[in-house]
Structure formats: C-alpha cells, structure tokens
Amino acid sequence: MRVIKQTSEMARTAGALRRAHQTIGLVPTMGALHDGHLSLIRAAAKQTRVVVVSLFVNPLQFGPGEDYDGYPRDLKQDLNLAKAAGTDIVFAPHVSQIYPADFSTSVQVDGLSDILEGQARPGHFRGVATVVMKLFQIVQPMVAYVGQKDYQQALIIQRMVKDLGIPTAIRLLPTVREPDGLAMSSRNRYLNPEERRQATVITRALREAADGIRAGEHNPKTVADALRHLMTREPLVRIDYVALVNARTLAPLPRLTGRVAILTAAWVGTTRLIDNILVDV
Ligand code: AMP
C-alpha cells in the first residue's frame, strides 16, 4: 500500500493509472476508520482495480464551535486498517494541499443542502460538496463509495455528480452497525459508557417507527410523535430533528407512500449523532 500526501503526486498517479486503463475506486473518509468505512473499502476492492482511500478531516464542513480540532485522528491505525481491508493507495493530504491560502471556489448544491442536516449545520454541505468535488478531480475515480449512514450527504453527492456531468458512479452502501444497533461513527468514541448505552435508543426508535409503518401506520405525524416519545425516554438524549420524507427528494410527505426515509439527529450528552432508516411502503 502506498501513502501519498501531495496533491500533485496523487493527480499524476491517477492520470497514469487511467491511461493504463486501470479502474480507480475512491472511498472518501475523514479517517478514524471503523467497520463502516472498511465495508466501503472492501466493496471497492471487489469492484475496482485500484482502491484509493482518502483520509482528510475537512475543515470546510465544520461550523464554528463544532468538533474540528477534537475530531479523532489516528493515522497509524488508519493505515493498518485500510491496508488490511484492501486499499492500494491512501491519499492523506495536509489541509494546505487541499486548501492553499488563495483557495476561493466552492460547490453549492441548492435545495438538498438547505434542509435537515443543512439547516442544523449551515455551510456543512457546501464544505462536503467542495471537498468531494476536489477529491474527484485529483483522484479521477470511476466509482466512489459512500455510506447510507450519511444519507442526505449521499443524495447531495449524487445530485452534484449528475448536475456537473462528473464521470464518477456513486455507490451507496448500507449502514454498518454495532451489535446493539448503534450506527458506527467516528464520533461514537466521544460517548461515555452511560451515553453509549442511552444512544442505542436512536436505532430502536427508528426500527420501531419502520415497523409501525410496515404494519400500516401511514400518518407521518403519528409515527414521528411515537419516535420522539421513545427517544426522549432516555434523559441524556436530546432530539435535534426527526423527519419522515420522500427518500429520493427529502421532501416532506403528507401521507407515507413509496420509499420513505426516516432521518434523525440527536444529541447524546455533548455528542451529536445522526441515523436513518429506509422503508418501502
Ligand atoms: P466520514 O469519515 O464520517 O466522513 O465517513 C466517510 C464515509 O463512510 C461516508 O461515505 C460515510 O457515509 C461512510 N460511513 C460512515 N459511517 C458508516 C457506517 N456506519 N456504515 C456505512 N458507511 C459509513
């Protein structure tokens, strides 16, 4: 496995691979790798010839007062995990490689970026779209692998790729969970044992909501109320939002039909977690 830190070297390498007709698969991450990331790397290793994993904590997608400085960073462990999962190249640039001092361009996907996570975290998805666009330019992947865990982010990347005619296919893979259901996240390591225990209510509530819908409850307000009620039974859990929306457009649904996305964000102590589940009605 090769580790590349310079943007110019990564771009040169990707160019040579493409000229040699080697398919490149990219797994963009912020590091602190866990099984969720590794499932994406393994899928890439099955489907593409050269797997590139980017490790980059993107300052542009963190708001003021968010956890950019404290975000977990562990390059040595990430390199070991990435290698074992089948990575060929790790691209781990310094911030100045991606954002030189005179950097002044951004990518904004209107609409989808302004609701839910975007409303809670202004500027977040502009940061995400900008860095993903830049990574796609540098790495030139034929396929990029993203997780359902960040469902809205995946839709925004798909939108961007379609709107701008980027020749990269986006593969969306299922959320990998801990045995008790909690969605794996680099931020889970912020939780103390009691918070970690209470955090499992998020998945339980989503699953109960999905079961309720499958059992015939098609009123979104009824389902959302039950979900909120269950989540607030844990005293350290504070709901940011609960939404039942069209899974393709994220538009609110007056009645639950078609493919429904149930999305939630909640604080558990001082840690903000997101999760979602899809239901076909
Ligand atoms: P992050 O490092 O949090 O920016 O995530 C990098 C990629 O891994 C994104 O496409 C995420 O959606 C994906 N990812 C994060 N957590 C999980 C998970 N538990 N299951 C599947 N994919 C995940």
Side-chain angles (χ1 to χ4, degrees), residues 27-40 54 56 61 71 128 145-151 153-154 157 171-178 182-188:
V27 181
T29 81
M30 298 207 297
L33 299 183
H34 51 64
D35 276 341
H37 300 116
L38 302 184
S39 74
L40 304 180
S54 60
F56 181 65
Q61 72 187 70
Y71 197 83
V128 170
Y145 295 81
V146 302
Q148 189 195 317
K149 160 80 182 0
D150 299 276
Y151 186 69
Q153 168 174 292
I157 294 171
R171 296 251 191 293
L172 179 63
L173 275 88
T175 302
V176 177
R177 298 178 179 282
E178 300 287 353
L182 182 68
M184 288 195 182
S185 163
S186 305
R187 291 189 168 99
N188 290 348

Side-chain angles (χ1 to χ4, degrees), residues 112 115-116 151-152 155-156 245-252 261 263:
L112 279 177
I115 53 176
L116 303 167
Y151 186 69
Q152 187 176 2
L155 290 189
I156 287 168
V245 293
N246 178 310
R248 204 169 41 79
T249 62
L250 302 186
L263 303 156

